[in-house]
Amino acid sequence: MTLYFTGAAVVFGILINAFLKDATTPKNHVASWIFLTVATLLWPIALPSMIRKRFQRAEVLDLDYLN
């Protein structure tokens, strides 16, 4: 149970950080908060997806750097 809450806290921290930095989404938009809640509850699915996207973006940057 502790593992689940730890993972959920990590995912919530990542998502809330991205949400607060995003200037295009109003902070009182209910659908955004619902998405944050659902993604936090389903973190075993959301976290691997976020990590994969992060590594894909990093690979593209590394390849551009070599040229």
Side-chain angles (χ1 to χ4, degrees), residues 31-54:
S32 298
W33 289 104
I34 291 172
F35 174 79
L36 285 172
T37 303
V38 170
T40 300
L41 294 174
L42 298 176
W43 76 265
I45 299 168
L47 185 60
S49 175
M50 288 188 284
I51 291 171
R52 184 189 51 159
K53 293 216 184 236
R54 177 73 63 164

Side-chain angles (χ1 to χ4, degrees), residues 6-67:
T6 302
V10 168
V11 169
F12 182 74
I14 293 169
L15 292 174
I16 198 73
N17 184 30
F19 178 66
L20 293 176
K21 285 184 177 181
D22 185 11
T24 61
T25 303
K27 304 308 179 234
N28 60 356
H29 194 235
V30 175
S32 298
W33 289 104
I34 291 172
F35 174 79
L36 285 172
T37 303
V38 170
T40 300
L41 294 174
L42 298 176
W43 76 265
I45 299 168
L47 185 60
S49 175
M50 288 188 284
I51 291 171
R52 184 189 51 159
K53 293 216 184 236
R54 177 73 63 164
F55 282 133
Q56 285 177 347
R57 187 172 43 191
E59 290 174 14
V60 170
L61 292 175
D62 288 341
L63 292 175
D64 289 341
Y65 178 73
L66 294 174
N67 289 331

